[in-house]
Structures are given as C-alpha cells and as structure tokens.
C-alpha cells in the first residue's frame, strides 16, 4: 500500500519540481503495466494510449465520427477507394513529421489483433502512400464501416505510431513510446508500483473545434499528469477528500453515498454509451465449459439482479436487468431471447450441470482483488456458482497478473483457467463488428476462444449491409445465437462511479478517462 503522505509536499516544495496547480493526479482503477494499446484491452492502457498517441478519426459524445489526425477523407462513388489526408504540422514527440507510411504500418499492425480491424483489412486490397500527407485505402469488396473501424474508441484502439515502432510484431509489446498526442511519456521516469508521469507536449497542435468526447481540440492545461498507484480503496478516498489527488477513475462502490455528501467532490454521471457491463469470461477450449450444456447452466446459476445489488452501488447507478448482448441504450439493444434469463435458479442450474456430466471437478476462477469494479462482482459470482454446486477454486491476485494468465490455453493442471469475471466497456459492446462474442467468434484472439461456426457468416453479412433496419435484424439473429451458445456471461450494466475534485472544470465524461480540456477553477 502507498502511504498518503507520499503524495504531499516535501519541505514545502512540490514533488517532481512542478507547481501544484500544474499537476493533475489520477488514481486509476488498476496499475499501468502494459504500454502498448494495440495488444491489450486494459482500460488503463487505453487511457495511456489516448494520452501519448492520437487517432486518425475520433468519435464525439453523440457517437458521430470526425477527422482527428486527418484533415479530411474522401470516398469514391463506388465506395471502394478511400483517400485520407493528414492535417498539416503533425509531428512525433521526437520532432519527426508524421507520414502516411506511419499510418499505413500502424493500421496494419492494429488490425492483426483487433476483431473490427481484421474485418476491415479482410476487405482491403491495398494501401499506398500518395504524397507527403495523403494515403489511399482501396477495398476489394464493399465494407460499410470503414470510418467506424478506424475511429472506434473501444479496445484495441487504432492509435498511430511511427512506422519503425509499428513494424514490431503484434505478439511483442512495443518498447519505444513515441506518439504524437497531447502528452509525452518518458520510460525513465516511470515508477511501476508508484506512478506513471506524463508531460504536456508543447509541440502538439490541437484541432480548432471544441473538445467533444474524443473528438475536437485536445488542449492540455496541466503541465504534468500522473497516474498514481493506490491499491488500497480507503487510501484513495482519503487522498481525494484531502485534495492530494484530483481524480479516482473508479471509486469503491460502497463509498458512493459518502462522497455524494461531500461538497468538495463531484461524482460523474455517465451517458448510456459510456456505461459498462460486468462479464464472466469463459474458457471455451477446456473442460468442463467446452460443453455448451455447462455454459447454459452458468446462465441459470447467475442472478444478475443479485450481482448488481451486491456491488454496493445505489439503484440509480445500475440497470435492474440487461441481458441484451449489445449495450442497453445502444443502437442494437434488444430483449429478443432473454426471457428465460429473467428467472435464474441455483437448483435448476445444479440439475443442468448434473445432466451435462459434471461430477465436482475443480474449476479455476481468476479473481482480480485490486479492481474496484471486478472485485465485488467476483465475490457474488463465486457465491452463486458454489450455491449451484460447482467446485470453485478461487485464484486471487491483481488484475495485471490475471490478465496475463488468461492468455494461457493450457489444461488446469498446467496452469490453465476456467472462469474470470471481467468488465467490458460499453463502447466494446455497441457494434457487432467489435463485440467479443460476435466479431471475435472463431477468430482465436480473444481469451475464452469461443467459436460458433454460425456466427462469422452473420457478421460478414452485417459488415456489408447498408440498411439500418436489416442491420438491426442481423444483430438480433446474432444475439439469439450468443444466448443459445452462451460463450460468455453478461452480469449487468452499470455506471461506474468516477469521482473528482469540485474545483475542476472541463472534464470530458465519456467513460474513457482522458485528461485534456480539464483545468482547475481560477487557474
């Protein structure tokens, strides 16, 4: 645990030599450990990515896409040739200019590990440099979501790196953190277990439009932003109340009522698109959950209302029921196929497990104890599964360790796993082309490795369908397949409580935790 005193001034001099009003300190939900936003879905790495890098296209708070690094894009009448023009003056943190080649190499690397990106590149026949600011993307066949793919805010984010860095194999994290974003990051200053330090990029030229969601002008008002590691929940709350930190990404749920009464603290209210979904990641490769009957038993064992109530969140911060596989409140939300899930039963689940041939075999569940979101969800899930007769072997550790173990496909006796409670960003759940149970089905890249042979053809139809009503019908057909095959579990949708000091203004509240546009009142 990091002592609160470590954040205070030393002999009256601010730590790191910066004036207090020029330093913004954020306690993130989990510690930053992976510095490559193209290889992990961890929200803290996504936040890191938006600090250091930039994207060609960005989505505003209403879900509309705008040029970001791009000045503009043009598309041919047959919608098969896309011409992308970079805005002038873009430079990397080392002073070199951003080039179209950088963009092409970055997009190709990103697409190797991203479901949406793979589908885009499956339609691309060629990408080539046209001149010092333009590159061309030529499609071999129609693809209805080019802009949505390149501008998507959900993991893995399509950030742009220098070509020499983006040439790194996607299986290997990049070692050079050179971006073109509003903040710079020096590895030499990074103190794992303590803090990650970002400096305002003086060479960054924000877009002229006002900041809106992830789009518009990314104006950095603080000279320094720190991601502070504070694993102990009570320490985080005390530090926020004393003004020693400015922001808690996700505060412990049971502190919500307390901080709502503190006039010096503001709790951010997230719009529907920025909400999150609790999930249960299931290893579909190894017994017993390679058997769909066992996965259907999990559906009956898990009581979503009890899980959400068990988080400690006030009722106005979660939905009483949401089994739509696509985000409730999003364009493809639906109740189709969810009726049976409204009446969970531990006794019925026990019968289903028995009928599937389960005889008390050990089931390894990875419990992330350091996550303010995952930990309370896990505790209820563990109790419900034990109640339904499963022999749950809980492996407790911090999320970063669990995220690495979740990549293992080995049997249980060789260090493998069966279940892991997780949290999915709502942005990851909106579109079938980025959703873990649809886009990643049979793709082999998302841990759990679910494969429904009937899913890829549906997704392929969706990606070329221009009619919104037909897209909606295809999304409902996908939902029926997911609820039938039960590759992952959906544990409830809620608004994670983000807390910040009341003397801050301009905070962009979109669930993705970005730190441009924000400033202290009076500074």
């Amino acid at each position: 645990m990091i002592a609160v005193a470590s954040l205070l001034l030393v002999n009256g001099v601010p730590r790191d030599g910066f004036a207090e009003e020029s330093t913004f300190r954020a306690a993130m939900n989990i510690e930053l450990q992976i510095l490559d936003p193209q290889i992990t879905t961890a929200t803290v790495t996504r936040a890191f990515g938006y600090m250091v890098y930039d994207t060609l296209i960005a989505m505003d708070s209403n879900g509309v896409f705008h040029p970001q690094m791009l000045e503009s894009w043009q598309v041919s009448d047959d919608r098969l040739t896309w011409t992308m023009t970079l805005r002038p003056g873009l430079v990397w943190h080392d002073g070199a200019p951003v080039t179209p080649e950088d963009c092409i190499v970055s997009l190709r690397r990103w697409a190797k590990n991203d479901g949406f990106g793979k589908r885009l590149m499956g339609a691309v026949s060629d990408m080539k440099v046209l001149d010092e600011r333009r590159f061309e993307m030529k499609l071999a066949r129609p693809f209805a979501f080019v802009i949505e793919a390149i501008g998507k805010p959900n993991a893995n984010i399509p950030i742009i790196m220098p070509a020499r860095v983006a040439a790194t194999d996607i299986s290997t994290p990049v070692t050079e953190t050179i971006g073109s974003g509003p903040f710079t990051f020096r590895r030499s200053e990074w103190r794992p277990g303590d803090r990650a330090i970002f400096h305002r990029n003086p060479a960054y030229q924000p877009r002229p439009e006002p900041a809106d969601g992830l789009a518009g002008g990314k104006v950095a008002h603080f000279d320094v932003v720190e991601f502070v590691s504070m694993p102990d929940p009570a320490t985080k709350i005390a530090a926020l109340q004393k003004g020693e930190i400015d922001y808690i990404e996700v505060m412990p749920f049971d502190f919500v009522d307390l901080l709502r009464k503190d006039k010096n603290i503001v709790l951010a209210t997230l719009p529907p698109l920025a909400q999150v979904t609790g999930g249960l990641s299931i290893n579909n490769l190894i017994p017993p959950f390679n058997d769909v009957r066992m996965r259907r038993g999990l559906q009956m064992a898990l009581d979503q209302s009890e899980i959400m109530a068990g988080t400690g969140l006030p009722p106005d911060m979660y939905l009483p029921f949401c089994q739509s596989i696509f985000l409730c409140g999003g364009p493809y939300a639906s109740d189709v196929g969810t009726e049976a899930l409204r009446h969970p039963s531990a006794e019925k689940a026990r019968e289903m497990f028995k009928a599937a041939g389960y005889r008390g075999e050990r089931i390894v569940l990875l419990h992330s104890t350091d996550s303010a979101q995952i930990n309370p969800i896990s505790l209820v899930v563990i109790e419900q599964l034990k109640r339904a007769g499963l022999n749950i072997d809980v492996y407790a550790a911090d999320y970063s360790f669990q995220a690495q173990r979740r990549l293992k496909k080995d049997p249980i006796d060789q260090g493998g796993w069966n279940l892991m409670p997780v949290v999915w960003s709502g942005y990851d759940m909106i579109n079938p082309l980025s959703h873990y149970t649809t886009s990643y089905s049979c793709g082999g890249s998302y841990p759990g490795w679910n494969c429904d042979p009937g899913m890829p053809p549906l997704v392929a139809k969706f990606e070329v369908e221009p009619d919104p009503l037909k897209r909606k019908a295809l999304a409902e057909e996908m939902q029926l397949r997911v609820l039938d095959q039960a590759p992952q579990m959906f544990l409830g949708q809620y608004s994670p409580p983000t807390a910040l000091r009341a003397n801050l203004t301009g905070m962009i509240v979109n669930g993705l935790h970005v730190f441009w546009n924000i400033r202290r009142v009076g500074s």
Side-chain angles (χ1 to χ4, degrees):
M1 183 179 77
I2 298 171
V4 176
S6 68
L7 299 176
L8 302 178
L9 307 189
V10 179
N11 297 324
V13 179
R15 287 188 57 163
D16 304 315
F18 296 101
E20 279 296 291
E21 61 271 13
S22 70
T23 301
F24 179 91
R25 294 189 174 98
M28 306 303 284
N29 187 38
I30 57 176
E31 184 184 340
L32 179 66
Q33 292 193 354
I34 301 173
L35 305 182
D36 188 342
Q38 291 187 339
I39 70 168
T40 180
T41 60
T43 55
V44 68
T45 301
R46 193 181 324 194
F48 167 87
Y50 281 120
M51 296 285 283
V52 174
Y53 300 98
D54 215 341
T55 58
L56 296 174
I57 296 165
M59 191 176 80
D60 69 16
S61 57
N62 294 312
V64 178
F65 291 88
H66 303 269
Q68 188 59 35
M69 292 177 73
L70 293 181
E71 180 178 79
S72 63
W73 65 76
Q74 293 81 38
V75 59
S76 61
D77 291 341
D78 61 6
R79 302 192 69 79
L80 295 179
T81 302
W82 294 76
T83 303
M84 309 292 182
T85 303
L86 290 168
R87 59 191 179 103
L90 296 178
V91 296
W92 299 112
H93 294 159
D94 60 5
V98 176
T99 69
E101 181 187 10
D102 297 323
C103 302
I104 291 172
V105 179
S106 294
L107 290 176
R108 289 197 183 281
R109 182 178 191 267
W110 156 74
K112 291 177 181 177
N113 203 40
D114 183 82
F116 211 155
K118 285 180 181 179
R119 296 194 172 278
L120 170 61
M121 289 303 161
V124 171
S125 62
D126 187 36
M127 287 195 290
K128 65 181 181 181
V129 174
L130 297 179
D131 55 38
E132 63 182 12
R133 286 178 51 209
R134 295 186 304 148
F135 69 97
E136 180 182 271
M137 177 183 294
K138 189 172 288 291
L139 305 184
R141 57 177 175 79
F143 187 81
F145 297 89
V146 171
I147 298 305
E148 291 86 345
I150 297 174
K152 76 187 192 80
N154 55 295
N156 298 307
I157 55 175
I159 54 109
I160 303 301
M161 305 174 174
R164 69 178 186 280
V165 179
T168 304
D169 188 271
I170 193 61
S171 64
T172 304
V174 299
T175 58
E176 188 178 2
T177 52
I178 297 291
S180 65
F183 292 90
T184 64
F185 181 80
R186 304 168 189 167
R187 276 178 175 263
S188 61
E189 295 182 341
W190 183 29
R191 304 197 290 272
D194 182 9
R195 69 195 61 221
I197 301 171
F198 304 84
H199 297 268
R200 185 174 61 84
N201 176 12
Y204 186 76
Q205 298 296 320
R207 294 189 65 87
E209 305 92 348
D212 182 3
L214 297 171
K218 299 179 179 181
V219 180
H221 296 291
F222 287 94
D223 290 331
V224 176
V225 173
E226 296 180 354
F227 288 5
V228 182
S229 298
M230 303 183 75
D232 181 68
T235 302
K236 284 183 184 179
I237 298 300
L240 182 70
Q241 289 180 310
K242 294 177 182 179
E244 293 159 356
I245 59 174
D246 300 288
Y247 181 87
I248 298 178
E249 178 192 357
V250 181
M251 57 178 285
F253 296 170
D254 51 357
F255 283 91
V256 170
D257 287 337
L258 172 68
L259 291 194
R260 276 182 165 173
K261 300 172 183 176
D262 190 328
K263 65 179 181 0
N264 295 311
I265 307 297
V266 173
L267 267 61
T269 301
L270 297 182
L273 291 184
Q275 292 178 2
V276 302
T277 296
L280 183 64
S281 188
I282 304 170
N283 189 336
N284 287 226
L285 292 183
I286 64 174
F289 299 112
N290 57 340
D291 186 334
V292 68
R293 296 174 299 169
M294 288 293 294
R295 301 197 299 271
R296 289 171 182 158
L298 288 176
Q299 287 178 319
M300 193 52 55
L302 295 167
D303 184 337
Q304 192 179 91
S305 61
E306 185 180 67
I307 292 169
M308 287 293 97
T311 63
L313 285 170
D316 63 335
M317 296 189 76
Y318 64 84
L319 301 183
F321 181 84
C322 176
Q323 283 288 356
S324 171
I325 73 165
F326 304 112
L327 187 75
C328 290
Y332 300 108
S334 172
D335 284 334
V336 64
T338 65
E339 183 56 37
L341 302 180
R342 294 178 181 272
H343 309 287
S345 165
E347 208 47 52
K348 185 173 181 180
R350 187 186 292 266
E351 294 172 2
M352 293 172 73
F353 292 143
K354 184 177 180 180
Y358 179 70
R359 297 296 180 266
E361 295 87 348
R362 180 169 66 105
I363 292 171
V364 172
L365 182 144
L366 306 182
H367 177 191
S368 303
T369 54
D370 65 332
S371 170
Q373 296 192 77
I374 299 175
N375 182 57
I377 289 174
S378 294
L379 294 174
V380 182
V381 166
I382 291 166
E383 175 59 30
Q384 290 182 349
L385 296 182
K386 288 181 176 179
R387 194 186 307 159
L390 296 184
N391 177 17
I392 300 297
D393 181 4
V394 178
Y395 188 91
D398 62 75
Y399 174 83
S400 296
F401 182 88
Q402 308 288 36
Q404 292 298 318
R405 182 168 178 178
R406 189 166 61 133
L407 301 177
K408 294 172 68 70
K409 298 182 180 180
D410 303 309
I412 291 299
D413 59 3
Q414 296 177 29
W417 62 281
N418 297 115
L419 305 171
M420 179 176 170
V422 294
V423 172
W424 293 310
S425 164
Y427 294 106
D428 300 337
M429 314 298 285
I430 294 173
N431 191 305
L433 298 186
S434 61
H435 199 285
Y436 300 126
T437 62
T438 54
S439 182
Y440 287 80
S441 183
C442 304
S445 62
Y446 184 73
W449 308 288
N450 56 289
C451 182
D452 170 9
M455 186 62 71
L458 286 175
V459 179
K461 289 181 182 179
F462 183 88
E463 72 182 22
V464 300
E465 179 53 64
D467 187 322
L469 292 178
K470 291 181 179 178
R471 288 182 188 171
K472 176 76 171 175
L474 286 167
E476 290 188 347
E477 194 172 347
M478 291 182 216
Q479 175 159 308
L480 287 173
R481 292 200 70 91
V482 169
L483 295 179
D484 175 68
Q485 293 299 303
Q488 313 286 341
M489 299 293 112
F490 303 90
L491 306 180
Q493 183 172 318
Y494 62 94
S495 180
T498 293
L500 62 154
R501 297 287 298 176
N503 64 345
L504 296 166
T505 185
M507 185 73 201
I508 296 172
V509 180
N510 62 4
L512 292 177
H513 313 287
V514 296
F515 302 110
W516 58 79
N517 203 57
I518 191 168
R519 65 196 314 168
R520 284 194 217 287
V521 175
S523 64

